[in-house]
Amino acid sequence: MHAETAEPTSQAGPGPWRRGPVFAVLALLLGLLMLLHAQITDRGGVGSLVETFLPWFGLGIPVLLAGALWRRSASALVALLLPVAVWLSLFGGLLTDKSRPGGDLTVVSHNVGAENPDPAGTARDLAASGADVLALQEITARAKPVYEKELAKAYPHHTVRGTVGLWSKLPLSDTRPVDTLMDYGPLAATKPAAVKMAYNRALRTTVATDEGPLAVYVAHLGSVRLLPQDGFGTGGRDRGAQALTKAIAAERNERVVLLGDLNGTMEDRAFAGLTSQLRSAQDSAGDGFGFSWPARFPVARIDQILVRGVEPRSAWVLPATGSDHRPVAAGISG
């Protein structure tokens, strides 16, 4: 008897277009999430949370690229074109230096931190920045005289309303607090003005510049908290953003600068009313994302310089001080 010899069979496996379907699907989902971020529900603050850290979703691209190459998946590589294109359309403009020489006025904004262990050192660092106009947020009653003393020589004009203040080399006038609805509810109207002023968190003043009067707003909007039972709590901040939007909409001066810790990024839907009226100095004239918080390893820009009727020429982030935020700066003209 003769044994029949079996012919070898091919074990080639699936082709490159059928490999790595999981990576292809994840790439498409990542692209759609960034593309449609404004459609994500804001229940529990989910939409705001996604938009706060939206640039960081781009880190998923190299991870998925590595997976696609490992699986030698042509479909996953093609699918990756979607998140790459969306990320570049959203943030590609921030990858180049858009600063230009010039600028008649240098403005700086800094949340100096209520727990700052060295307010005097922070004040000296800020004065050394060469700012013409300096906005501070989170000024405590204990630290206020320290800032006033340390900044007096460089800034002959200043005003403080509650926990926010402005120091200027140029004269100030028409200063008043701005109600950002931090005190909210049926009992708010019953509190005396002096009581409310102690924790006021926004002001408006006029700076006399060579180009004419400049309306300057300083604001510190409500904090946000990520809590297991409540999600991403943004209610106080969002009310403040709406109040600030109305105040700036009613501003008669065409030349406006808003300086402050807004506790949110300009991608966040809560600031649509502000960004429809003002533009970001960092986006227009900065280099990179300009992340300002937390100071040790910044991952988000929640400290903002927004303008109308003036031209941002440059924008940058200053070195860390004793605060948990970094100062942000801009040179403007016009």
Side-chain angles (χ1 to χ4, degrees):
M1 298 178 65
H2 299 282
E4 293 185 2
T5 303
E7 295 184 0
T9 58
S10 174
Q11 301 293 330
W17 291 100
R18 299 183 65 184
R19 296 190 198 114
V22 172
F23 291 108
V25 170
L26 289 175
L28 292 174
L29 289 176
L30 177 62
L32 290 173
L33 181 139
M34 292 190 291
L35 179 65
L36 303 175
H37 65 87
Q39 308 306 317
I40 298 173
T41 178
D42 207 29
R43 186 173 183 177
V46 173
S48 285
L49 182 61
V50 168
E51 289 165 339
T52 296
F53 298 103
L54 194 59
W56 294 96
F57 282 86
L59 293 178
I61 294 173
V63 173
L64 293 173
L65 175 61
L69 294 175
W70 171 61
R71 293 289 291 135
R72 292 180 293 171
S73 170
S75 58
L77 289 173
V78 171
L80 271 170
L81 293 176
L82 176 62
V84 169
V86 173
W87 193 92
L88 288 175
S89 70
L90 291 172
F91 305 111
L94 298 176
L95 301 180
T96 59
D97 185 356
K98 297 175 290 301
S99 62
R100 293 160 290 168
D104 308 313
L105 200 70
T106 299
V107 297
V108 167
S109 179
H110 189 29
N111 179 326
V112 292
E115 304 300 324
N116 192 325
D118 184 20
T122 295
R124 290 191 291 268
D125 289 343
L126 293 172
S129 72
D132 300 296
V133 174
L134 173 62
L136 303 186
Q137 305 91 46
E138 214 165 287
I139 303 170
T140 63
R142 174 186 58 83
K144 178 185 173 184
V146 178
Y147 291 117
E148 290 177 328
K149 177 183 176 181
E150 295 295 335
L151 296 171
K153 183 177 180 180
Y155 300 96
H157 311 280
H158 89 282
T159 182
V160 176
R161 295 291 189 275
T163 64
V164 296
L166 191 77
W167 277 257
S168 175
K169 295 180 179 179
L170 303 168
L172 304 177
S173 63
D174 193 20
T175 301
R176 57 182 183 268
V178 176
D179 185 4
T180 54
L181 302 179
M182 290 302 299
D183 198 354
Y184 180 78
L187 297 179
T190 68
K191 295 183 179 179
V195 173
K196 291 184 179 182
M197 183 56 67
Y199 48 87
N200 178 72
R201 293 174 65 156
L203 66 82
R204 183 261 184 222
T205 191
T206 299
V207 178
T209 74
D210 292 339
E211 290 71 33
L214 176 69
V216 176
Y217 288 76
V218 182
H220 181 197
L221 298 186
S223 299
V224 297
R225 295 287 186 270
L226 184 58
L227 301 173
Q229 65 273 24
D230 299 322
F232 194 51
T234 64
R237 184 206 64 184
D238 294 351
R239 285 196 307 272
Q242 292 168 10
L244 200 54
T245 296
K246 291 180 180 178
I248 291 176
E251 174 61 55
R252 295 186 177 184
N253 194 331
E254 287 301 315
R255 302 172 70 242
V256 178
V257 174
L258 168 60
L259 306 165
D261 171 10
L262 303 188
N263 271 307
T265 68
M266 292 301 93
E267 288 76 36
D268 194 317
R269 66 194 68 187
F271 300 103
L274 282 176
T275 55
S276 68
Q277 301 181 70
L278 306 169
R279 57 179 173 148
S280 164
Q282 180 67 28
D283 289 353
S284 301
D287 180 10
F289 290 91
F291 293 149
S292 62
W293 177 87
R296 288 184 179 273
F297 186 80
V299 298
R301 184 180 178 90
I302 62 175
D303 301 277
Q304 308 293 345
I305 299 176
L306 307 178
V307 302
R308 180 182 81 192
V310 296
E311 185 66 24
R313 306 293 297 183
S314 56
W316 64 99
V317 178
L318 294 169
T321 68
S323 172
D324 57 340
H325 293 244
R326 293 194 181 187
V328 294
I332 61 175
S333 63

